Amino acid sequence: RQEEGDWAYWDDVTGQMLDKEAVNEARKEEMREFKKHGVYEKVPIEECYRVTGKAPLAHRWLDINKGDDENVEMRSRLVAKEIKRDNREDLFAATPPLEAIKVLLSLAVTEGIGYSKGCRGQGMKLDFIDVRRAYFQAKARRDVYVKLPEEDDEPGMCGKLIQSLYGTRDAAQNWEECYAEVMEKLGFRRGRASTCVFYNEGRDARVVVHGDDFTVLGMHNELDWFRSKIADRFEVKFRGRLGPDAKDDKSIRILNRVVQWTSEGIEYEADQRHAELIVQQLGLSGASKSVSTPCVQIHHGDETPLGKEESTMYRALAARANYMSQDRSDVGFAVKELCRHMSNPRRCDWDRLKRCLLYTSPSPRDKRQSRMACWGW
């Protein structure tokens, strides 16, 4: 977006303004990755029309701060704009349920599974591994042509994909087939209920793959083995290893959730971004009166229907709270009750919504509120 002759950038998820220099640097880094991985080769545009009968796919920049205001983690992705015009189930790619990662956290500190008292350091630990530019490491399996970005434009030419690209409909599936093939060669079996879950019986190692994030549970030596094998095939970043030993990490962020290894077990904190955004949208602040429960039983209330704009905001906030509730079991019932009235919200529903959101307010940040669960031994 351009303002007063200069460019301004906005987060594609939160809508917040982003630091211009951070975005420009992130975009330069993205173009370096394009060239390093050979994502496309330049071919005449005539070839695109001859093969597909259509113009090359358009594209756009997607700029996101994957961290927060204090811990900025800028990501810029050049994304193709391949619009879905038919219902093709053969392009489906799976995503693991959040419970899969929670199960790994529980198993890591469950007696008789990976931890034994008096044998500290010999139990199971957790590795967190990111595959850098995962889609770029999966081959394109069909003819796809894209317009060249301004940073690499050449008149009369377009790009034919050699590797997969964000925004193309089969990119996620290409990546899934790529990493699944690697995992099976390493002796892992894919899950039946979720194809993103893997188990190696011989090494007693478990892996959950969420996009480009690998969460691995196993003994120390088996984790080292997996690290070396996955690094032989992909360009990876080892984000940390949680465990009981002094040299092990004690805190890490996964899917923007904070996971901490403590003397009593593993603590898991919900994604605070949604609570923060809700508070901002409602105009609340840390000075707002806090409440000790997310809901109360109200027999009577103002049943006047909300106006159009307020109804739209109610639905948006209730939907965000519903997403947040998968981490916040303490607000699950309250959010369920709020979602029951999304079609025709009333003034009393709005009051209940504000109470629930005040309860989740992250200012001041309260462990009682933000902690979803604690698994202990």
Side-chain angles (χ1 to χ4, degrees), residues 97-310:
L98 186 59
E99 287 77 10
I101 292 179
K102 294 178 182 178
V103 167
L104 293 191
L105 301 181
S106 179
L107 290 176
V109 291
T110 299
E111 291 188 55
I113 299 294
Y115 179 85
S116 127
K117 292 182 178 179
C119 200
R120 186 176 293 275
Q122 300 299 315
M124 288 188 169
K125 303 179 182 182
L126 291 155
D127 259 8
F128 298 85
I129 303 173
D130 283 355
V131 177
R132 300 189 71 254
R133 303 303 196 280
Y135 287 179
F136 293 177
Q137 303 189 54
K139 294 290 184 181
R141 299 188 294 173
R142 61 190 175 97
D143 293 328
V144 180
Y145 297 82
V146 296
K147 293 182 179 179
L148 295 174
E150 294 181 2
E151 294 83 354
D152 193 30
D153 195 16
E154 186 174 331
M157 305 294 283
C158 66
K160 180 181 180 181
L161 294 186
I162 305 300
Q163 306 296 117
S164 299
L165 177 63
Y166 316 104
T168 54
R169 294 182 60 188
D170 59 347
Q173 185 188 74
N174 292 347
W175 166 238
E176 181 181 337
E177 293 301 319
C178 178
Y179 73 70
E181 180 182 352
V182 172
M183 295 294 288
E184 289 172 350
K185 287 182 178 179
L186 294 177
F188 286 87
R189 291 188 293 111
R190 299 181 76 173
R192 294 182 180 179
S194 173
T195 57
C196 305
V197 176
F198 297 84
Y199 178 57
N200 187 315
E201 185 176 3
R203 296 182 177 273
D204 196 22
R206 296 169 173 84
V207 181
V208 174
V209 183
H210 191 287
D212 57 3
D213 295 320
F214 285 64
T215 305
V216 191
L217 173 68
M219 304 295 285
H220 183 84
N221 291 340
E222 304 305 337
L223 294 182
D224 288 342
W225 167 81
F226 185 80
R227 278 193 178 194
S228 64
K229 292 299 182 181
I230 201 71
D232 288 341
R233 179 58 179 82
F234 301 123
E235 183 179 352
V236 299
K237 175 183 178 182
F238 301 116
R239 299 182 52 241
R241 174 174 296 178
L242 289 185
D245 289 349
K247 62 181 179 181
D248 294 330
D249 296 310
K250 302 304 177 187
S251 178
I252 201 163
R253 187 183 293 267
I254 175 70
L255 302 179
N256 215 48
R257 280 89 170 171
V258 177
V259 179
Q260 293 182 303
W261 190 293
T262 73
S263 60
E264 297 180 351
I266 291 180
E267 291 182 358
Y268 173 103
E269 287 190 38
D271 185 347
Q272 284 297 117
R273 290 180 302 175
H274 299 285
E276 293 167 357
L277 290 172
I278 288 171
V279 170
Q280 291 174 8
Q281 286 180 276
L282 285 176
L284 303 175
S285 66
S288 300
K289 183 179 179 180
S290 61
V291 294
S292 59
T293 59
C295 64
V296 292
Q297 187 175 10
I298 301 177
H299 297 286
H300 303 284
D302 187 351
E303 297 191 359
T304 303
L306 296 179
K308 183 177 180 180
E309 292 185 2
E310 285 184 316

Side-chain angles (χ1 to χ4, degrees), residues 98 102 257 268-271 323-330 370-373:
L98 186 59
K102 294 178 182 178
R257 280 89 170 171
Y268 173 103
E269 287 190 38
D271 185 347
Y323 176 84
M324 183 174 59
S325 66
Q326 67 179 327
D327 285 329
R328 297 286 302 269
S329 57
D330 53 342
S370 63
R371 181 186 300 168
M372 181 273 175

Side-chain angles (χ1 to χ4, degrees), residues 50-81:
R50 185 177 69 253
V51 174
T52 67
K54 303 176 182 178
L57 296 176
H59 54 72
R60 59 162 295 195
W61 282 103
L62 197 66
D63 306 304
I64 300 173
N65 177 13
K66 299 193 72 174
D68 50 36
D69 293 338
E70 297 181 0
N71 302 290
V72 177
E73 188 179 350
M74 193 65 60
R75 298 286 181 86
S76 290
R77 296 288 183 264
L78 189 64
V79 180
K81 298 168 67 176

